[in-house]
């Protein structure tokens, strides 16, 4: 059975069932049952129309479950009209709006989206977040229960959808399963359907980051820091498109956090070498981000920029104002101490940061950084 085909068809089939009247959780369960049947039967006798086959079997499974569940049957009977999809928006993006319902926390929304729309298994999502599979299964189940009665006329708002698209892009950008291209496709679609400068800002941000994708990992799979990436391999066409979209968004004078982040990414993309990066201007954009968001994580990233613009001691001073329990705080402190020449402290902090890493790739990179400094001393 072609797993890539199944992954591409799954959100489409779920969307069809939802438009026919199924609630999201029931639709996903029915499609999962149909996929089990496909695994058993397609290997020896694949259908001529896989999508039609899945729709038919999944719909029948849904009907069977509905007849056995009186409460669900009453809820479905009250839905007299099929929900109408937004113009120019496909089933997958409609599912994003449902998965991004404001009643869900961001982490639950992302986990549910990765499972239901991205096609990742619960084990893959758990590994990405370094949590037990049982924990992630419970998180996804709670999210499904939360949205089980929500219809497509009650979706998450644009800001919530943007947040989930942003987080899913980041997961795809750093994970083993490439979801970043799909996130870009959906954000393009959203930008075409909605006149919103922050949608454009997010699209520009994704393009500017994705342009560096090929250089972010070494042949052995290890992370390559931005300063060490081969800039001749960056996708200049994608960078030009991102910059053009960003400039148009900024010209509307409705600055938001995604536009500010994209401006920082554009400054990195514009520098011929790491040494020629305009760090003072990047600090200014981080100041804007702090004003817009007040985010401690933004302040953490600003400390790195300050360290590059004004020296590691200035960066450490900015870092001292932040809570040491912040994610990546130890990694930033390690980097700044290394630049300041305190290799022993840096090695210790790299090891500490590795124990707190958010994903396997980051953890392995930090372990290598600590080992490098311990070897050099």
């Amino acid at each position: 059975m072609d797993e890539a085909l199944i992954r591409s068809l799954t959100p489409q089939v779920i969307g069809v069932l939802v438009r026919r009247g199924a609630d999201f959780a029931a639709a996903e369960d029915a499609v999962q049952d149909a996929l089990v049947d496909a695994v058993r039967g397609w290997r020896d006798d694949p259908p001529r129309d896989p999508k039609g086959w899945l729709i038919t079997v999944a719909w029948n499974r849904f009907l069977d479950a509905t007849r056995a569940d009186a409460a669900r049957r009453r809820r479905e009977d009250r839905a007299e009209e099929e929900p109408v999809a937004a113009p120019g928006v496909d089933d997958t993006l409609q599912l994003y709006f449902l998965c991004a319902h404001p009643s869900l926390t961001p982490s639950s929304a992302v986990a549910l989206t990765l499972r239901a729309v991205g096609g990742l298994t619960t084990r893959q999502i758990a590994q990405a977040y370094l949590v037990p599979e049982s924990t992630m299964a419970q998180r996804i189940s709670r999210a499904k229960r939360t949205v089980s009665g929500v219809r497509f006329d009650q979706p998450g708002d644009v800001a919530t959808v943007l947040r989930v698209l942003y987080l899913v892009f980041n997961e795809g950008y750093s994970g083993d399963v490439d979801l970043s291209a799909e996130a870009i496709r959906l954000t393009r679609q959203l930008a075409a359907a909605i006149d919103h400068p922050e949608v454009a800002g997010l699209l520009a941000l994704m393009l500017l980051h994705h342009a560096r994708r090929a250089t972010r990992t070494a042949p052995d799979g290890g992370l390559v820091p931005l300063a060490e990436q081969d800039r001749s391999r960056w996708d200049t066409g994608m960078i030009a498109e991102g910059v053009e979209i960003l400039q148009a968004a900024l010209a509307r004078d409705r600055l938001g956090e995604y536009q500010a982040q994209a401006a920082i990414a554009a400054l990195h993309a514009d520098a011929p070498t790491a040494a020629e990066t305009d760090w003072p201007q990047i600090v200014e954009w981080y100041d804007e981000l702090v004003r817009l968001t007040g985010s401690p994580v933004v302040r953490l990233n600003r400390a790195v920029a300050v360290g590059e613009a004004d020296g590691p001691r200035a960066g450490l001073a900015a870092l001292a104002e932040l809570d040491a329990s912040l994610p990546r705080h130890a990694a930033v402190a390690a980097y700044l101490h290394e630049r300041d020449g305190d290799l022993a402290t840096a090695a210790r902090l790299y090891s500490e940061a590795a124990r707190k890493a958010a994903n396997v790739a980051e953890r392995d990179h930090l372990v290598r950084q600590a080992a490098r400094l311990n070897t050099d001393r």
Side-chain angles (χ1 to χ4, degrees):
M1 184 172 59
D2 189 335
E3 293 184 5
L5 175 63
I6 291 297
R7 182 176 296 170
S8 67
L9 290 178
T10 297
Q12 299 177 40
V13 177
I14 293 175
V16 170
L17 267 61
V18 171
R19 290 202 306 276
R20 287 185 177 182
D23 64 65
F24 176 81
E28 189 196 23
D29 289 342
V31 172
Q32 293 298 324
D33 288 341
L35 292 178
V36 172
D37 290 346
V39 170
R40 293 170 178 167
W42 284 18
R43 183 176 291 109
D44 299 325
D45 185 22
R48 293 182 179 180
D49 180 9
K51 180 178 178 181
W53 188 96
L54 284 172
I55 290 172
T56 299
V57 174
W59 182 246
N60 288 335
R61 289 294 188 126
F62 165 73
L63 291 177
D64 290 341
T66 300
R67 294 186 186 102
D69 186 343
R72 183 175 298 161
R73 184 176 64 248
R74 289 193 297 271
R75 183 168 65 249
E76 292 302 323
D77 287 343
R78 287 195 296 269
E80 298 179 352
E81 296 182 358
E82 289 187 351
V84 179
V89 175
D90 72 8
D91 294 339
T92 304
L93 193 54
Q94 288 287 334
L95 290 175
Y96 266 73
F97 269 92
L98 184 57
C99 290
H101 196 268
S103 59
L104 295 175
T105 65
S107 61
S108 293
V110 173
L112 181 60
T113 305
L114 290 173
R115 179 70 184 90
V117 188
L120 274 69
T121 66
T122 302
R123 176 172 296 180
Q124 287 173 314
I125 302 170
Q127 289 173 342
Y129 284 89
L130 295 180
V131 299
E133 184 177 355
S134 59
T135 300
M136 184 55 65
Q138 291 173 359
R139 183 181 302 176
I140 294 172
S141 294
R142 285 195 298 269
K144 287 171 61 178
R145 287 196 298 272
T146 299
V147 300
S148 63
V150 176
R151 309 295 299 183
F152 272 131
D153 57 355
Q154 299 174 321
D157 59 17
V158 173
T160 307
V161 172
L162 289 180
R163 179 63 177 166
V164 173
L165 281 168
Y166 172 72
L167 293 172
V168 170
F169 173 82
N170 285 342
E171 181 57 42
Y173 191 59
S174 61
D176 294 331
V177 179
D178 187 358
L179 298 176
S180 53
E182 175 68 357
I184 290 172
R185 184 187 74 81
L186 293 172
T187 307
R188 283 189 190 279
Q189 191 179 104
L190 191 60
I194 299 176
D195 183 20
H196 194 300
E198 273 293 80
V199 177
L202 179 58
L203 178 56
L205 175 62
M206 288 178 173
L207 291 171
L208 289 163
H209 278 298
H210 200 60
R212 306 198 303 257
R213 177 66 184 265
T215 65
R216 293 187 70 250
T217 55
D220 63 0
L223 293 181
V224 179
L226 175 61
E228 299 173 18
Q229 291 175 14
D230 181 356
R231 298 181 180 223
S232 68
R233 296 175 58 207
W234 288 359
D235 188 327
T236 55
M238 195 174 292
I239 289 172
E241 181 186 5
V243 169
E244 181 180 359
I245 293 171
L246 173 62
Q247 289 174 339
L250 291 174
R252 300 178 64 176
D253 198 26
R254 291 169 56 194
L255 184 64
E257 63 175 297
Y258 298 119
Q259 295 169 69
Q261 288 189 55
I264 293 170
L267 286 168
H268 284 299
D270 186 57
T273 65
E276 297 173 87
T277 303
D278 189 347
W279 286 107
Q281 192 172 350
I282 288 177
V283 172
E284 291 178 6
W285 276 111
Y286 271 120
D287 289 339
E288 289 288 346
L289 262 178
V290 170
R291 180 182 64 79
L292 288 166
T293 68
S295 167
V297 175
V298 171
R299 294 179 184 275
L300 186 71
N301 292 332
R302 179 184 177 277
V304 177
V306 169
E308 298 289 353
D310 301 323
R313 297 284 176 90
L316 287 167
L319 188 65
E321 300 174 2
L322 304 176
D323 188 340
S325 66
L326 277 173
R328 296 186 61 248
H329 186 284
V332 170
Y335 174 74
L336 291 171
H337 276 290
E338 180 182 359
R339 287 202 60 224
D340 195 39
D342 188 350
L343 302 188
T345 299
R348 176 179 57 78
L349 288 168
Y350 277 130
S351 296
E352 177 184 334
R355 293 191 294 271
K356 301 177 180 179
N359 58 64
V360 174
E362 182 181 350
R363 181 192 63 195
D364 291 347
H365 171 72
L366 292 167
V367 167
R368 284 193 293 268
Q369 294 294 86
R372 173 179 56 81
L373 293 185
N374 285 325
T375 301
D376 290 345
R377 288 190 290 123

